[in-house]
């Protein structure tokens, strides 16, 4: 009764091994393509946010100078 958890761990690991054999792994080309798309999208969003920040900062300073 003391090592019941050990048997449960063994069963769990066997099930994990069986499920891992069923996994459809992407090809190297697929991984490279999705990585490229992710990097480009991240850079595009960063550039957009950078310019949006500059514009909003300018607008806030302009409104503040007007005394509103």
């Amino acid at each position: 009764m003391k090592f019941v958890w050990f048997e449960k761990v063994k069963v769990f690991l066997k099930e994990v091994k069986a499920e891992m054999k069923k996994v459809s792994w992407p090809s190297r080309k697929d991984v490279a393509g999705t990585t490229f798309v992710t990097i480009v999208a991240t850079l595009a969003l960063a550039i957009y946010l950078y310019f949006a920040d500059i514009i909003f900062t300018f607008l806030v300073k302009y409104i503040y100078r007007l005394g509103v």
Side-chain angles (χ1 to χ4, degrees), residues 35-47:
T35 300
F36 178 74
V37 169
T38 302
I39 290 171
V40 169
T42 301
L43 288 174
L45 182 62
I47 292 167

Side-chain angles (χ1 to χ4, degrees), residues 5-67:
W5 65 271
F6 186 71
E7 291 300 319
K8 290 182 180 180
V9 170
K10 280 175 50 176
V11 170
F12 173 75
L13 291 176
K14 281 183 183 180
E15 290 174 357
V16 169
K17 186 176 179 181
E19 288 298 320
M20 291 300 285
K21 288 181 181 179
K22 297 177 187 178
V23 173
S24 171
W25 297 102
S27 69
R28 187 177 198 89
K29 184 178 177 183
D30 291 338
V31 172
T34 55
T35 300
F36 178 74
V37 169
T38 302
I39 290 171
V40 169
T42 301
L43 288 174
L45 182 62
I47 292 167
Y48 170 76
L49 290 174
Y50 174 75
F51 286 112
D53 182 52
I54 289 173
I55 291 168
F56 286 127
T57 300
F58 173 77
L59 289 174
V60 168
K61 286 182 180 179
Y62 179 74
I63 291 170
Y64 184 71
R65 273 190 241 133
L66 291 177

